[in-house]
Amino acid sequence: MITQIKIEQCDKPFCVIHTQVETDGIKAVAEKISRMDETGRSTMLSGWDGDYCIQVKQADIFRIYSLDKKVYLETEKETLLLKMRLYEFESLAQSCGWTEFIRISNTDIANFSKVTNLDMSLTGVVRVNFTNGKDAMVSRRYMNKIKNDVLNMTHRK
């Protein structure tokens, strides 16, 4: 297969495959490329719905949370079982450069690109409201991290 990189002005890198016939091999290459970001890293996670493994793009994930000793990933339409621990996902997100995923409690990691607002009306508690209408609570332990990393609220000295 001949490959060529062309430098030109565009918003995001994109790939075009020129071929006479669309074969299974070409489809497989296109599918692999579509799962990658600009660094060549995969942007997909495997979530489980019973016996079915469903590929989910990291950009479609609202939050990762733990419940009853299991870890779930939540998208707009469904909640899937994630076969990794929270700290493993946190490490994966950091190594892949997914900076929008931030731990908000011992049981929750939120995708801040899917957050509409932070509700601070409750005394001492912050509620994270997502674009899908659901919410999660920020624990006091992670409050300073959220204030510093997300809200850029640092105390003046």
Side-chain angles (χ1 to χ4, degrees):
M1 188 178 297
I2 299 170
T3 58
Q4 180 183 32
I5 297 174
K6 190 174 184 181
I7 309 298
E8 60 184 40
Q9 196 67 26
C10 59
D11 291 335
K12 287 185 176 184
F14 65 94
C15 180
V16 177
I17 299 174
H18 298 273
T19 182
Q20 286 183 325
V21 179
E22 185 176 351
T23 64
D24 289 339
I26 295 295
K27 288 179 186 178
V29 169
E31 181 64 28
K32 259 186 188 175
I33 291 170
S34 71
R35 292 183 188 174
M36 295 180 190
D37 62 8
E38 293 83 14
T39 65
R41 294 185 181 122
S42 175
T43 60
M44 302 289 272
L45 283 176
S46 296
W48 295 85
D49 184 11
D51 292 336
Y52 295 97
C53 178
I54 299 169
Q55 294 292 301
V56 180
K57 288 187 178 182
Q58 60 91 15
D60 295 336
I61 299 170
F62 283 79
R63 71 181 182 133
I64 306 289
Y65 67 95
S66 174
L67 180 68
D68 297 331
K69 297 185 179 183
K70 293 183 180 180
V71 177
Y72 299 92
L73 69 85
E74 184 176 273
T75 65
E76 186 161 3
K77 297 179 182 174
E78 58 193 346
T79 300
L80 303 170
L81 179 67
L82 185 62
K83 293 189 177 180
M84 63 173 57
R85 305 229 186 262
L86 279 177
Y87 72 87
E88 292 172 329
F89 174 80
E90 204 170 24
S91 176
L92 173 71
Q94 186 176 23
S95 69
C96 289
W98 302 343
T99 57
E100 59 275 0
F101 288 95
I102 297 174
R103 173 132 1 199
I104 60 170
S105 71
N106 283 342
T107 60
D108 275 286
I109 299 172
N111 181 351
F112 271 82
S113 68
K114 300 287 188 183
V115 171
T116 55
N117 60 46
L118 300 175
D119 182 2
M120 297 184 187
S121 61
L122 297 172
T123 308
V125 178
V126 175
R127 177 182 288 132
V128 177
N129 295 313
F130 295 99
T131 57
N132 66 353
K134 295 188 179 179
D135 59 40
M137 299 299 226
V138 176
S139 73
R140 293 177 195 265
R141 180 178 181 187
Y142 291 92
M143 192 69 72
N144 282 338
K145 183 177 182 177
I146 301 300
K147 285 180 179 178
N148 294 336
D149 295 351
V150 178
L151 303 175
N152 295 319
M153 293 173 59
T154 54
H155 291 289
R156 285 186 262 166
K157 293 182 181 180

mmCIF file of all heavy atoms in Angstrom, residues 42-48 53-62 73-75 78 80 98:
data_model
loop_
_atom_site.group_PDB
_atom_site.id
_atom_site.type_symbol
_atom_site.label_atom_id
_atom_site.label_comp_id
_atom_site.label_asym_id
_atom_site.label_seq_id
_atom_site.Cartn_x
_atom_site.Cartn_y
_atom_site.Cartn_z
ATOM 1 N N SER A 42 -5.519 4.975 20.345
ATOM 2 C CA SER A 42 -6.920 4.578 20.199
ATOM 3 C C SER A 42 -7.813 5.485 21.035
ATOM 4 O O SER A 42 -7.453 5.880 22.137
ATOM 5 C CB SER A 42 -7.093 3.131 20.660
ATOM 6 O OG SER A 42 -8.452 2.775 20.621
ATOM 7 N N THR A 43 -8.962 5.824 20.512
ATOM 8 C CA THR A 43 -9.922 6.648 21.240
ATOM 9 C C THR A 43 -11.164 5.842 21.593
ATOM 10 O O THR A 43 -12.201 6.401 21.881
ATOM 11 C CB THR A 43 -10.339 7.872 20.401
ATOM 12 O OG1 THR A 43 -10.930 7.418 19.186
ATOM 13 C CG2 THR A 43 -9.170 8.771 20.113
ATOM 14 N N MET A 44 -11.041 4.522 21.562
ATOM 15 C CA MET A 44 -12.185 3.651 21.810
ATOM 16 C C MET A 44 -11.977 2.855 23.093
ATOM 17 O O MET A 44 -10.864 2.490 23.442
ATOM 18 C CB MET A 44 -12.365 2.669 20.657
ATOM 19 C CG MET A 44 -12.553 3.315 19.307
ATOM 20 S SD MET A 44 -14.119 4.119 19.124
ATOM 21 C CE MET A 44 -15.102 2.789 18.552
ATOM 22 N N LEU A 45 -13.086 2.599 23.776
ATOM 23 C CA LEU A 45 -13.112 1.720 24.934
ATOM 24 C C LEU A 45 -14.142 0.633 24.679
ATOM 25 O O LEU A 45 -15.118 0.858 23.961
ATOM 26 C CB LEU A 45 -13.515 2.482 26.194
ATOM 27 C CG LEU A 45 -12.474 3.366 26.840
ATOM 28 C CD1 LEU A 45 -13.093 4.119 28.006
ATOM 29 C CD2 LEU A 45 -11.306 2.549 27.330
ATOM 30 N N SER A 46 -13.943 -0.517 25.299
ATOM 31 C CA SER A 46 -14.905 -1.599 25.177
ATOM 32 C C SER A 46 -15.810 -1.616 26.392
ATOM 33 O O SER A 46 -15.341 -1.766 27.514
ATOM 34 C CB SER A 46 -14.188 -2.951 25.066
ATOM 35 O OG SER A 46 -13.419 -2.990 23.893
ATOM 36 N N GLY A 47 -17.097 -1.428 26.157
ATOM 37 C CA GLY A 47 -18.089 -1.542 27.209
ATOM 38 C C GLY A 47 -18.903 -2.797 26.971
ATOM 39 O O GLY A 47 -19.043 -3.257 25.836
ATOM 40 N N TRP A 48 -19.438 -3.362 28.035
ATOM 41 C CA TRP A 48 -20.151 -4.632 27.924
ATOM 42 C C TRP A 48 -21.612 -4.475 28.315
ATOM 43 O O TRP A 48 -21.935 -3.904 29.345
ATOM 44 C CB TRP A 48 -19.483 -5.680 28.807
ATOM 45 C CG TRP A 48 -18.110 -5.997 28.332
ATOM 46 C CD1 TRP A 48 -16.959 -5.315 28.626
ATOM 47 C CD2 TRP A 48 -17.731 -7.016 27.439
ATOM 48 N NE1 TRP A 48 -15.889 -5.874 27.975
ATOM 49 C CE2 TRP A 48 -16.336 -6.920 27.245
ATOM 50 C CE3 TRP A 48 -18.435 -8.021 26.789
ATOM 51 C CZ2 TRP A 48 -15.636 -7.795 26.415
ATOM 52 C CZ3 TRP A 48 -17.731 -8.895 25.976
ATOM 53 C CH2 TRP A 48 -16.347 -8.774 25.792
ATOM 54 N N CYS A 53 -20.027 -6.946 23.451
ATOM 55 C CA CYS A 53 -18.969 -5.958 23.619
ATOM 56 C C CYS A 53 -19.256 -4.799 22.661
ATOM 57 O O CYS A 53 -19.396 -5.012 21.458
ATOM 58 C CB CYS A 53 -17.614 -6.576 23.300
ATOM 59 S SG CYS A 53 -16.243 -5.420 23.424
ATOM 60 N N ILE A 54 -19.350 -3.605 23.213
ATOM 61 C CA ILE A 54 -19.690 -2.438 22.412
ATOM 62 C C ILE A 54 -18.530 -1.452 22.466
ATOM 63 O O ILE A 54 -18.066 -1.085 23.544
ATOM 64 C CB ILE A 54 -20.993 -1.782 22.936
ATOM 65 C CG1 ILE A 54 -22.142 -2.794 22.832
ATOM 66 C CG2 ILE A 54 -21.297 -0.498 22.180
ATOM 67 C CD1 ILE A 54 -23.402 -2.382 23.531
ATOM 68 N N GLN A 55 -18.063 -1.026 21.300
ATOM 69 C CA GLN A 55 -16.975 -0.056 21.215
ATOM 70 C C GLN A 55 -17.552 1.350 21.389
ATOM 71 O O GLN A 55 -18.507 1.718 20.705
ATOM 72 C CB GLN A 55 -16.259 -0.161 19.858
ATOM 73 C CG GLN A 55 -15.537 -1.473 19.660
ATOM 74 C CD GLN A 55 -14.350 -1.606 20.584
ATOM 75 O OE1 GLN A 55 -13.445 -0.795 20.554
ATOM 76 N NE2 GLN A 55 -14.361 -2.622 21.431
ATOM 77 N N VAL A 56 -16.963 2.114 22.309
ATOM 78 C CA VAL A 56 -17.430 3.459 22.614
ATOM 79 C C VAL A 56 -16.265 4.425 22.445
ATOM 80 O O VAL A 56 -15.180 4.194 22.972
ATOM 81 C CB VAL A 56 -17.966 3.542 24.071
ATOM 82 C CG1 VAL A 56 -18.441 4.941 24.386
ATOM 83 C CG2 VAL A 56 -19.062 2.526 24.293
ATOM 84 N N LYS A 57 -16.497 5.501 21.701
ATOM 85 C CA LYS A 57 -15.471 6.530 21.560
ATOM 86 C C LYS A 57 -15.362 7.295 22.869
ATOM 87 O O LYS A 57 -16.374 7.563 23.520
ATOM 88 C CB LYS A 57 -15.821 7.500 20.434
ATOM 89 C CG LYS A 57 -15.671 6.906 19.062
ATOM 90 C CD LYS A 57 -15.860 7.947 17.995
ATOM 91 C CE LYS A 57 -15.642 7.315 16.635
ATOM 92 N NZ LYS A 57 -15.755 8.276 15.557
ATOM 93 N N GLN A 58 -14.148 7.650 23.240
ATOM 94 C CA GLN A 58 -13.953 8.363 24.504
ATOM 95 C C GLN A 58 -14.707 9.680 24.526
ATOM 96 O O GLN A 58 -15.158 10.123 25.567
ATOM 97 C CB GLN A 58 -12.464 8.549 24.819
ATOM 98 C CG GLN A 58 -11.675 9.336 23.793
ATOM 99 C CD GLN A 58 -11.638 10.813 24.067
ATOM 100 O OE1 GLN A 58 -11.965 11.269 25.150
ATOM 101 N NE2 GLN A 58 -11.230 11.576 23.081
ATOM 102 N N ALA A 59 -14.921 10.293 23.376
ATOM 103 C CA ALA A 59 -15.645 11.568 23.313
ATOM 104 C C ALA A 59 -17.134 11.393 23.626
ATOM 105 O O ALA A 59 -17.812 12.361 23.946
ATOM 106 C CB ALA A 59 -15.481 12.198 21.938
ATOM 107 N N ASP A 60 -17.661 10.161 23.550
ATOM 108 C CA ASP A 60 -19.073 9.900 23.823
ATOM 109 C C ASP A 60 -19.343 9.549 25.289
ATOM 110 O O ASP A 60 -20.492 9.390 25.682
ATOM 111 C CB ASP A 60 -19.585 8.760 22.945
ATOM 112 C CG ASP A 60 -19.572 9.121 21.462
ATOM 113 O OD1 ASP A 60 -19.622 10.326 21.143
ATOM 114 O OD2 ASP A 60 -19.502 8.195 20.635
ATOM 115 N N ILE A 61 -18.291 9.415 26.079
ATOM 116 C CA ILE A 61 -18.442 9.030 27.486
ATOM 117 C C ILE A 61 -18.733 10.253 28.336
ATOM 118 O O ILE A 61 -18.041 11.266 28.232
ATOM 119 C CB ILE A 61 -17.168 8.330 27.997
ATOM 120 C CG1 ILE A 61 -16.911 7.061 27.182
ATOM 121 C CG2 ILE A 61 -17.284 8.019 29.483
ATOM 122 C CD1 ILE A 61 -15.572 6.427 27.444
ATOM 123 N N PHE A 62 -19.753 10.174 29.169
ATOM 124 C CA PHE A 62 -20.094 11.253 30.093
ATOM 125 C C PHE A 62 -19.343 11.085 31.414
ATOM 126 O O PHE A 62 -18.794 12.036 31.935
ATOM 127 C CB PHE A 62 -21.600 11.290 30.365
ATOM 128 C CG PHE A 62 -22.369 11.900 29.241
ATOM 129 C CD1 PHE A 62 -22.650 11.173 28.096
ATOM 130 C CD2 PHE A 62 -22.798 13.205 29.311
ATOM 131 C CE1 PHE A 62 -23.348 11.732 27.046
ATOM 132 C CE2 PHE A 62 -23.505 13.777 28.266
ATOM 133 C CZ PHE A 62 -23.775 13.040 27.132
ATOM 134 N N LEU A 73 -19.394 2.681 32.434
ATOM 135 C CA LEU A 73 -19.231 3.902 31.652
ATOM 136 C C LEU A 73 -20.603 4.320 31.172
ATOM 137 O O LEU A 73 -21.417 3.494 30.787
ATOM 138 C CB LEU A 73 -18.228 3.745 30.509
ATOM 139 C CG LEU A 73 -18.510 2.876 29.299
ATOM 140 C CD1 LEU A 73 -19.307 3.639 28.254
ATOM 141 C CD2 LEU A 73 -17.204 2.446 28.698
ATOM 142 N N GLU A 74 -20.850 5.618 31.252
ATOM 143 C CA GLU A 74 -22.160 6.144 30.906
ATOM 144 C C GLU A 74 -22.051 7.007 29.662
ATOM 145 O O GLU A 74 -21.234 7.918 29.604
ATOM 146 C CB GLU A 74 -22.688 6.959 32.085
ATOM 147 C CG GLU A 74 -24.079 7.491 31.910
ATOM 148 C CD GLU A 74 -24.547 8.196 33.169
ATOM 149 O OE1 GLU A 74 -25.087 7.518 34.048
ATOM 150 O OE2 GLU A 74 -24.340 9.412 33.257
ATOM 151 N N THR A 75 -22.881 6.690 28.660
ATOM 152 C CA THR A 75 -22.973 7.509 27.455
ATOM 153 C C THR A 75 -24.337 8.187 27.476
ATOM 154 O O THR A 75 -25.085 8.040 28.441
ATOM 155 C CB THR A 75 -22.830 6.657 26.176
ATOM 156 O OG1 THR A 75 -23.945 5.765 26.080
ATOM 157 C CG2 THR A 75 -21.529 5.871 26.172
ATOM 158 N N GLU A 78 -26.825 4.926 26.971
ATOM 159 C CA GLU A 78 -26.715 3.663 27.676
ATOM 160 C C GLU A 78 -25.632 3.679 28.742
ATOM 161 O O GLU A 78 -24.760 4.548 28.745
ATOM 162 C CB GLU A 78 -26.450 2.519 26.692
ATOM 163 C CG GLU A 78 -25.196 2.709 25.855
ATOM 164 C CD GLU A 78 -25.131 1.746 24.688
ATOM 165 O OE1 GLU A 78 -25.890 0.758 24.657
ATOM 166 O OE2 GLU A 78 -24.324 1.975 23.794
ATOM 167 N N LEU A 80 -22.829 1.006 30.290
ATOM 168 C CA LEU A 80 -22.174 -0.256 29.973
ATOM 169 C C LEU A 80 -21.183 -0.621 31.069
ATOM 170 O O LEU A 80 -20.591 0.259 31.708
ATOM 171 C CB LEU A 80 -21.431 -0.146 28.644
ATOM 172 C CG LEU A 80 -22.268 0.252 27.431
ATOM 173 C CD1 LEU A 80 -21.368 0.555 26.249
ATOM 174 C CD2 LEU A 80 -23.270 -0.828 27.085
ATOM 175 N N TRP A 98 -6.219 12.312 27.527
ATOM 176 C CA TRP A 98 -7.629 12.671 27.646
ATOM 177 C C TRP A 98 -7.797 13.552 28.873
ATOM 178 O O TRP A 98 -8.276 13.121 29.914
ATOM 179 C CB TRP A 98 -8.509 11.439 27.750
ATOM 180 C CG TRP A 98 -8.396 10.480 26.605
ATOM 181 C CD1 TRP A 98 -7.858 10.721 25.379
ATOM 182 C CD2 TRP A 98 -8.830 9.120 26.582
ATOM 183 N NE1 TRP A 98 -7.935 9.599 24.591
ATOM 184 C CE2 TRP A 98 -8.524 8.604 25.306
ATOM 185 C CE3 TRP A 98 -9.434 8.297 27.509
ATOM 186 C CZ2 TRP A 98 -8.820 7.300 24.936
ATOM 187 C CZ3 TRP A 98 -9.727 6.995 27.146
ATOM 188 C CH2 TRP A 98 -9.431 6.502 25.868
#
